[in-house]
PDB file of all heavy atoms in Angstrom:
ATOM      1  N   SER A 470      -6.654  38.899  -4.147  1.00 93.00           N
ATOM      2  CA  SER A 470      -7.263  39.586  -5.201  1.00 93.00           C
ATOM      3  C   SER A 470      -8.210  38.726  -6.008  1.00 93.00           C
ATOM      4  O   SER A 470      -8.957  39.262  -7.010  1.00 93.00           O
ATOM      5  CB  SER A 470      -6.216  40.262  -6.123  1.00 93.00           C
ATOM      6  OG  SER A 470      -5.454  39.218  -6.679  1.00 93.00           O
ATOM      7  N   SER A 471      -8.329  37.456  -5.774  1.00 94.00           N
ATOM      8  CA  SER A 471      -9.126  36.584  -6.524  1.00 94.00           C
ATOM      9  C   SER A 471     -10.602  36.709  -6.035  1.00 94.00           C
ATOM     10  O   SER A 471     -10.827  37.167  -4.942  1.00 94.00           O
ATOM     11  CB  SER A 471      -8.741  35.113  -6.341  1.00 94.00           C
ATOM     12  OG  SER A 471      -9.061  34.621  -5.088  1.00 94.00           O
ATOM     13  N   PRO A 472     -11.650  36.175  -6.767  1.00 94.00           N
ATOM     14  CA  PRO A 472     -12.929  36.287  -6.461  1.00 94.00           C
ATOM     15  C   PRO A 472     -13.376  35.257  -5.385  1.00 94.00           C
ATOM     16  O   PRO A 472     -14.503  35.048  -4.960  1.00 94.00           O
ATOM     17  CB  PRO A 472     -13.779  36.026  -7.674  1.00 94.00           C
ATOM     18  CG  PRO A 472     -12.854  35.381  -8.682  1.00 94.00           C
ATOM     19  CD  PRO A 472     -11.442  35.730  -8.241  1.00 94.00           C
ATOM     20  N   LEU A 473     -12.401  34.480  -4.859  1.00 96.00           N
ATOM     21  CA  LEU A 473     -12.695  33.406  -3.944  1.00 96.00           C
ATOM     22  C   LEU A 473     -13.091  33.979  -2.588  1.00 96.00           C
ATOM     23  O   LEU A 473     -12.504  34.862  -1.973  1.00 96.00           O
ATOM     24  CB  LEU A 473     -11.427  32.554  -3.635  1.00 96.00           C
ATOM     25  CG  LEU A 473     -11.019  31.607  -4.773  1.00 96.00           C
ATOM     26  CD1 LEU A 473      -9.703  30.878  -4.189  1.00 96.00           C
ATOM     27  CD2 LEU A 473     -12.005  30.736  -5.264  1.00 96.00           C
ATOM     28  N   PRO A 474     -14.230  33.451  -2.007  1.00 96.00           N
ATOM     29  CA  PRO A 474     -14.705  33.784  -0.625  1.00 96.00           C
ATOM     30  C   PRO A 474     -13.678  33.298   0.412  1.00 96.00           C
ATOM     31  O   PRO A 474     -12.825  32.357   0.069  1.00 96.00           O
ATOM     32  CB  PRO A 474     -16.026  33.261  -0.528  1.00 96.00           C
ATOM     33  CG  PRO A 474     -16.054  32.070  -1.424  1.00 96.00           C
ATOM     34  CD  PRO A 474     -15.171  32.534  -2.625  1.00 96.00           C
ATOM     35  N   LYS A 475     -13.749  33.724   1.552  1.00 95.00           N
ATOM     36  CA  LYS A 475     -12.726  33.430   2.704  1.00 95.00           C
ATOM     37  C   LYS A 475     -12.742  31.883   2.851  1.00 95.00           C
ATOM     38  O   LYS A 475     -11.693  31.335   2.987  1.00 95.00           O
ATOM     39  CB  LYS A 475     -13.079  34.145   3.986  1.00 95.00           C
ATOM     40  CG  LYS A 475     -12.120  33.847   5.082  1.00 95.00           C
ATOM     41  CD  LYS A 475     -12.523  34.595   6.325  1.00 95.00           C
ATOM     42  CE  LYS A 475     -11.464  34.529   7.451  1.00 95.00           C
ATOM     43  NZ  LYS A 475     -11.464  33.149   7.956  1.00 95.00           N
ATOM     44  N   ASP A 476     -13.911  31.221   2.840  1.00 96.00           N
ATOM     45  CA  ASP A 476     -13.927  29.801   3.160  1.00 96.00           C
ATOM     46  C   ASP A 476     -13.222  29.032   2.130  1.00 96.00           C
ATOM     47  O   ASP A 476     -12.618  27.949   2.434  1.00 96.00           O
ATOM     48  CB  ASP A 476     -15.327  29.334   3.347  1.00 96.00           C
ATOM     49  CG  ASP A 476     -16.176  29.363   2.135  1.00 96.00           C
ATOM     50  OD1 ASP A 476     -16.163  30.389   1.459  1.00 96.00           O
ATOM     51  OD2 ASP A 476     -16.855  28.351   1.771  1.00 96.00           O
ATOM     52  N   LEU A 477     -13.223  29.417   0.903  1.00 96.00           N
ATOM     53  CA  LEU A 477     -12.530  28.739  -0.128  1.00 96.00           C
ATOM     54  C   LEU A 477     -11.039  29.064  -0.238  1.00 96.00           C
ATOM     55  O   LEU A 477     -10.172  28.217  -0.619  1.00 96.00           O
ATOM     56  CB  LEU A 477     -13.078  28.938  -1.476  1.00 96.00           C
ATOM     57  CG  LEU A 477     -14.609  28.501  -1.773  1.00 96.00           C
ATOM     58  CD1 LEU A 477     -15.067  28.637  -3.153  1.00 96.00           C
ATOM     59  CD2 LEU A 477     -14.718  27.001  -1.368  1.00 96.00           C
ATOM     60  N   ARG A 478     -10.677  30.307   0.208  1.00 96.00           N
ATOM     61  CA  ARG A 478      -9.292  30.612   0.252  1.00 96.00           C
ATOM     62  C   ARG A 478      -8.493  29.803   1.335  1.00 96.00           C
ATOM     63  O   ARG A 478      -7.370  29.547   1.272  1.00 96.00           O
ATOM     64  CB  ARG A 478      -9.027  32.118   0.587  1.00 96.00           C
ATOM     65  CG  ARG A 478      -9.477  33.075  -0.425  1.00 96.00           C
ATOM     66  CD  ARG A 478      -8.988  34.381  -0.239  1.00 96.00           C
ATOM     67  NE  ARG A 478      -9.285  35.088   1.033  1.00 96.00           N
ATOM     68  CZ  ARG A 478     -10.329  35.854   1.147  1.00 96.00           C
ATOM     69  NH1 ARG A 478     -11.074  36.137   0.111  1.00 96.00           N
ATOM     70  NH2 ARG A 478     -10.472  36.442   2.340  1.00 96.00           N
ATOM     71  N   GLU A 479      -9.297  29.280   2.330  1.00 96.00           N
ATOM     72  CA  GLU A 479      -8.695  28.623   3.431  1.00 96.00           C
ATOM     73  C   GLU A 479      -8.295  27.173   3.034  1.00 96.00           C
ATOM     74  O   GLU A 479      -7.667  26.498   3.882  1.00 96.00           O
ATOM     75  CB  GLU A 479      -9.728  28.451   4.520  1.00 96.00           C
ATOM     76  CG  GLU A 479      -9.934  29.759   5.324  1.00 96.00           C
ATOM     77  CD  GLU A 479     -11.038  29.713   6.402  1.00 96.00           C
ATOM     78  OE1 GLU A 479     -11.791  28.715   6.406  1.00 96.00           O
ATOM     79  OE2 GLU A 479     -11.106  30.730   7.126  1.00 96.00           O
ATOM     80  N   ILE A 480      -8.515  26.705   1.846  1.00 96.00           N
ATOM     81  CA  ILE A 480      -8.118  25.389   1.399  1.00 96.00           C
ATOM     82  C   ILE A 480      -6.645  25.430   0.864  1.00 96.00           C
ATOM     83  O   ILE A 480      -6.069  24.534   0.435  1.00 96.00           O
ATOM     84  CB  ILE A 480      -9.068  24.589   0.382  1.00 96.00           C
ATOM     85  CG1 ILE A 480      -8.872  25.277  -1.032  1.00 96.00           C
ATOM     86  CG2 ILE A 480     -10.411  24.579   0.913  1.00 96.00           C
ATOM     87  CD1 ILE A 480      -9.515  24.485  -2.091  1.00 96.00           C
ATOM     88  N   PHE A 481      -6.086  26.771   0.906  1.00 97.00           N
ATOM     89  CA  PHE A 481      -4.835  26.924   0.523  1.00 97.00           C
ATOM     90  C   PHE A 481      -3.908  27.426   1.689  1.00 97.00           C
ATOM     91  O   PHE A 481      -4.288  28.343   2.401  1.00 97.00           O
ATOM     92  CB  PHE A 481      -4.631  28.064  -0.595  1.00 97.00           C
ATOM     93  CG  PHE A 481      -5.359  27.717  -1.876  1.00 97.00           C
ATOM     94  CD1 PHE A 481      -6.722  28.069  -2.026  1.00 97.00           C
ATOM     95  CD2 PHE A 481      -4.775  27.012  -2.960  1.00 97.00           C
ATOM     96  CE1 PHE A 481      -7.340  27.801  -3.209  1.00 97.00           C
ATOM     97  CE2 PHE A 481      -5.386  26.717  -4.175  1.00 97.00           C
ATOM     98  CZ  PHE A 481      -6.713  27.059  -4.238  1.00 97.00           C
ATOM     99  N   THR A 482      -2.831  26.748   2.030  1.00 95.00           N
ATOM    100  CA  THR A 482      -1.874  27.191   2.937  1.00 95.00           C
ATOM    101  C   THR A 482      -0.627  27.659   2.266  1.00 95.00           C
ATOM    102  O   THR A 482       0.054  26.933   1.448  1.00 95.00           O
ATOM    103  CB  THR A 482      -1.554  26.022   3.925  1.00 95.00           C
ATOM    104  OG1 THR A 482      -2.576  25.675   4.708  1.00 95.00           O
ATOM    105  CG2 THR A 482      -0.291  26.483   4.896  1.00 95.00           C
ATOM    106  N   LEU A 483      -0.310  29.068   2.346  1.00 94.00           N
ATOM    107  CA  LEU A 483       0.832  29.592   1.638  1.00 94.00           C
ATOM    108  C   LEU A 483       2.147  29.533   2.528  1.00 94.00           C
ATOM    109  O   LEU A 483       2.010  29.909   3.700  1.00 94.00           O
ATOM    110  CB  LEU A 483       0.522  30.994   1.306  1.00 94.00           C
ATOM    111  CG  LEU A 483      -0.808  31.294   0.522  1.00 94.00           C
ATOM    112  CD1 LEU A 483      -0.927  32.710   0.158  1.00 94.00           C
ATOM    113  CD2 LEU A 483      -0.857  30.411  -0.683  1.00 94.00           C
ATOM    114  N   LEU A 484       3.217  29.062   1.960  1.00 91.00           N
ATOM    115  CA  LEU A 484       4.453  29.049   2.791  1.00 91.00           C
ATOM    116  C   LEU A 484       5.233  30.252   2.607  1.00 91.00           C
ATOM    117  O   LEU A 484       5.589  30.610   1.478  1.00 91.00           O
ATOM    118  CB  LEU A 484       5.245  27.792   2.385  1.00 91.00           C
ATOM    119  CG  LEU A 484       4.716  26.402   2.563  1.00 91.00           C
ATOM    120  CD1 LEU A 484       5.556  25.304   1.891  1.00 91.00           C
ATOM    121  CD2 LEU A 484       4.523  26.129   3.980  1.00 91.00           C
ATOM    122  N   GLY A 485       5.544  30.916   3.618  1.00 85.00           N
ATOM    123  CA  GLY A 485       6.362  32.141   3.565  1.00 85.00           C
ATOM    124  C   GLY A 485       7.842  31.821   3.304  1.00 85.00           C
ATOM    125  O   GLY A 485       8.158  30.526   3.485  1.00 85.00           O
ATOM    126  N   LYS A 486       8.662  32.779   3.031  1.00 81.00           N
ATOM    127  CA  LYS A 486      10.201  32.343   2.775  1.00 81.00           C
ATOM    128  C   LYS A 486      10.828  31.772   4.048  1.00 81.00           C
ATOM    129  O   LYS A 486      11.865  31.107   3.900  1.00 81.00           O
ATOM    130  CB  LYS A 486      10.804  33.551   2.188  1.00 81.00           C
ATOM    131  CG  LYS A 486      10.980  34.782   3.129  1.00 81.00           C
ATOM    132  CD  LYS A 486      11.670  35.923   2.349  1.00 81.00           C
ATOM    133  CE  LYS A 486      11.738  37.188   3.325  1.00 81.00           C
ATOM    134  NZ  LYS A 486      12.358  38.207   2.601  1.00 81.00           N
ATOM    135  N   ASP A 487      10.318  32.104   5.285  1.00 79.00           N
ATOM    136  CA  ASP A 487      10.872  31.509   6.406  1.00 79.00           C
ATOM    137  C   ASP A 487      10.552  30.025   6.465  1.00 79.00           C
ATOM    138  O   ASP A 487      11.365  29.280   6.985  1.00 79.00           O
ATOM    139  CB  ASP A 487      10.401  32.200   7.679  1.00 79.00           C
ATOM    140  CG  ASP A 487      10.833  33.661   7.746  1.00 79.00           C
ATOM    141  OD1 ASP A 487      11.876  33.987   7.169  1.00 79.00           O
ATOM    142  OD2 ASP A 487      10.196  34.434   8.408  1.00 79.00           O
ATOM    143  N   ALA A 488       9.464  29.599   5.973  1.00 73.00           N
ATOM    144  CA  ALA A 488       9.159  28.212   6.000  1.00 73.00           C
ATOM    145  C   ALA A 488       9.652  27.362   4.843  1.00 73.00           C
ATOM    146  O   ALA A 488      10.121  26.255   5.012  1.00 73.00           O
ATOM    147  CB  ALA A 488       7.623  27.935   6.019  1.00 73.00           C
ATOM    148  N   PHE A 489       9.904  28.072   3.706  1.00 69.00           N
ATOM    149  CA  PHE A 489      10.488  27.401   2.424  1.00 69.00           C
ATOM    150  C   PHE A 489      11.012  28.363   1.531  1.00 69.00           C
ATOM    151  O   PHE A 489      10.342  29.344   1.127  1.00 69.00           O
ATOM    152  CB  PHE A 489       9.402  26.462   1.837  1.00 69.00           C
ATOM    153  CG  PHE A 489       9.956  26.108   0.446  1.00 69.00           C
ATOM    154  CD1 PHE A 489      10.928  25.063   0.385  1.00 69.00           C
ATOM    155  CD2 PHE A 489       9.507  26.681  -0.642  1.00 69.00           C
ATOM    156  CE1 PHE A 489      11.368  24.730  -0.880  1.00 69.00           C
ATOM    157  CE2 PHE A 489       9.899  26.336  -1.949  1.00 69.00           C
ATOM    158  CZ  PHE A 489      10.921  25.262  -2.081  1.00 69.00           C
ATOM    159  N   ARG A 490      12.372  28.244   1.313  1.00 63.00           N
ATOM    160  CA  ARG A 490      12.899  29.017   0.167  1.00 63.00           C
ATOM    161  C   ARG A 490      14.179  28.378  -0.285  1.00 63.00           C
ATOM    162  O   ARG A 490      15.214  28.180   0.455  1.00 63.00           O
ATOM    163  CB  ARG A 490      13.256  30.437   0.507  1.00 63.00           C
ATOM    164  CG  ARG A 490      13.961  31.194  -0.557  1.00 63.00           C
ATOM    165  CD  ARG A 490      14.147  32.661  -0.333  1.00 63.00           C
ATOM    166  NE  ARG A 490      14.780  33.289  -1.447  1.00 63.00           N
ATOM    167  CZ  ARG A 490      15.053  34.629  -1.523  1.00 63.00           C
ATOM    168  NH1 ARG A 490      14.636  35.539  -0.579  1.00 63.00           N
ATOM    169  NH2 ARG A 490      15.675  35.074  -2.570  1.00 63.00           N
ATOM    170  N   VAL A 491      14.210  27.749  -1.555  1.00 66.00           N
ATOM    171  CA  VAL A 491      15.331  27.225  -2.135  1.00 66.00           C
ATOM    172  C   VAL A 491      15.293  27.717  -3.650  1.00 66.00           C
ATOM    173  O   VAL A 491      14.460  27.455  -4.363  1.00 66.00           O
ATOM    174  CB  VAL A 491      15.183  25.770  -2.274  1.00 66.00           C
ATOM    175  CG1 VAL A 491      16.441  25.163  -2.991  1.00 66.00           C
ATOM    176  CG2 VAL A 491      15.245  25.103  -0.840  1.00 66.00           C
ATOM    177  N   ASP A 492      16.314  28.604  -3.998  1.00 58.00           N
ATOM    178  CA  ASP A 492      16.303  29.259  -5.261  1.00 58.00           C
ATOM    179  C   ASP A 492      17.028  28.351  -6.174  1.00 58.00           C
ATOM    180  O   ASP A 492      18.169  28.520  -6.685  1.00 58.00           O
ATOM    181  CB  ASP A 492      17.032  30.635  -5.177  1.00 58.00           C
ATOM    182  CG  ASP A 492      16.391  31.529  -4.156  1.00 58.00           C
ATOM    183  OD1 ASP A 492      15.100  31.266  -3.996  1.00 58.00           O
ATOM    184  OD2 ASP A 492      16.999  32.422  -3.644  1.00 58.00           O
ATOM    185  N   LEU A 493      16.322  27.191  -6.640  1.00 57.00           N
ATOM    186  CA  LEU A 493      16.975  26.297  -7.505  1.00 57.00           C
ATOM    187  C   LEU A 493      15.805  25.718  -8.302  1.00 57.00           C
ATOM    188  O   LEU A 493      14.646  25.468  -7.891  1.00 57.00           O
ATOM    189  CB  LEU A 493      17.610  25.124  -6.629  1.00 57.00           C
ATOM    190  CG  LEU A 493      18.320  23.986  -7.299  1.00 57.00           C
ATOM    191  CD1 LEU A 493      19.494  24.515  -8.084  1.00 57.00           C
ATOM    192  CD2 LEU A 493      18.720  22.821  -6.376  1.00 57.00           C
ATOM    193  N   SER A 494      16.160  25.396  -9.591  1.00 56.00           N
ATOM    194  CA  SER A 494      15.061  24.733 -10.482  1.00 56.00           C
ATOM    195  C   SER A 494      15.693  23.622 -11.201  1.00 56.00           C
ATOM    196  O   SER A 494      16.897  23.453 -11.375  1.00 56.00           O
ATOM    197  CB  SER A 494      14.600  25.768 -11.450  1.00 56.00           C
ATOM    198  OG  SER A 494      15.559  26.088 -12.444  1.00 56.00           O
ATOM    199  N   SER A 495      14.712  22.690 -11.799  1.00 51.00           N
ATOM    200  CA  SER A 495      15.239  21.493 -12.405  1.00 51.00           C
ATOM    201  C   SER A 495      15.900  22.009 -13.756  1.00 51.00           C
ATOM    202  O   SER A 495      16.821  21.340 -14.254  1.00 51.00           O
ATOM    203  CB  SER A 495      13.998  20.569 -12.855  1.00 51.00           C
ATOM    204  OG  SER A 495      13.487  20.116 -11.640  1.00 51.00           O
ATOM    205  N   SER A 496      15.354  23.085 -14.408  1.00 56.00           N
ATOM    206  CA  SER A 496      15.964  23.488 -15.608  1.00 56.00           C
ATOM    207  C   SER A 496      17.344  23.929 -15.419  1.00 56.00           C
ATOM    208  O   SER A 496      18.254  23.765 -16.284  1.00 56.00           O
ATOM    209  CB  SER A 496      15.082  24.639 -16.158  1.00 56.00           C
ATOM    210  OG  SER A 496      15.087  25.707 -15.334  1.00 56.00           O
ATOM    211  N   GLU A 497      17.608  24.567 -14.337  1.00 53.00           N
ATOM    212  CA  GLU A 497      19.136  25.010 -13.996  1.00 53.00           C
ATOM    213  C   GLU A 497      19.964  23.703 -13.947  1.00 53.00           C
ATOM    214  O   GLU A 497      21.083  23.691 -14.324  1.00 53.00           O
ATOM    215  CB  GLU A 497      19.123  25.805 -12.697  1.00 53.00           C
ATOM    216  CG  GLU A 497      18.499  27.169 -12.925  1.00 53.00           C
ATOM    217  CD  GLU A 497      18.445  27.916 -11.463  1.00 53.00           C
ATOM    218  OE1 GLU A 497      18.569  27.252 -10.461  1.00 53.00           O
ATOM    219  OE2 GLU A 497      18.232  29.122 -11.515  1.00 53.00           O
ATOM    220  N   ILE A 498      19.406  22.605 -13.263  1.00 46.00           N
ATOM    221  CA  ILE A 498      20.267  21.482 -13.162  1.00 46.00           C
ATOM    222  C   ILE A 498      20.362  20.877 -14.340  1.00 46.00           C
ATOM    223  O   ILE A 498      21.513  20.318 -14.800  1.00 46.00           O
ATOM    224  CB  ILE A 498      19.550  20.475 -12.032  1.00 46.00           C
ATOM    225  CG1 ILE A 498      19.491  21.126 -10.650  1.00 46.00           C
ATOM    226  CG2 ILE A 498      20.282  19.262 -11.945  1.00 46.00           C
ATOM    227  CD1 ILE A 498      18.807  20.320  -9.563  1.00 46.00           C
ATOM    228  N   ARG A 499      19.393  20.740 -15.281  1.00 45.00           N
ATOM    229  CA  ARG A 499      19.490  20.133 -16.607  1.00 45.00           C
ATOM    230  C   ARG A 499      20.558  20.870 -17.370  1.00 45.00           C
ATOM    231  O   ARG A 499      21.336  20.404 -18.261  1.00 45.00           O
ATOM    232  CB  ARG A 499      18.159  20.110 -17.308  1.00 45.00           C
ATOM    233  CG  ARG A 499      17.305  19.089 -16.696  1.00 45.00           C
ATOM    234  CD  ARG A 499      16.007  18.775 -17.698  1.00 45.00           C
ATOM    235  NE  ARG A 499      15.345  19.985 -18.129  1.00 45.00           N
ATOM    236  CZ  ARG A 499      14.274  20.536 -17.389  1.00 45.00           C
ATOM    237  NH1 ARG A 499      13.866  19.946 -16.274  1.00 45.00           N
ATOM    238  NH2 ARG A 499      13.704  21.532 -17.889  1.00 45.00           N
TER     239      ARG A 499
END
Side-chain angles (χ1 to χ4, degrees):
S470 63
S471 75
L473 292 181
K475 184 176 183 294
D476 66 311
L477 294 186
R478 292 200 302 267
E479 289 175 349
I480 74 168
F481 298 92
T482 293
L483 309 183
L484 297 175
K486 60 182 179 181
D487 292 337
F489 166 74
R490 178 172 177 175
V491 177
D492 301 334
L493 182 67
S494 70
S495 294
S496 57
E497 290 173 345
I498 294 177
R499 289 197 302 273

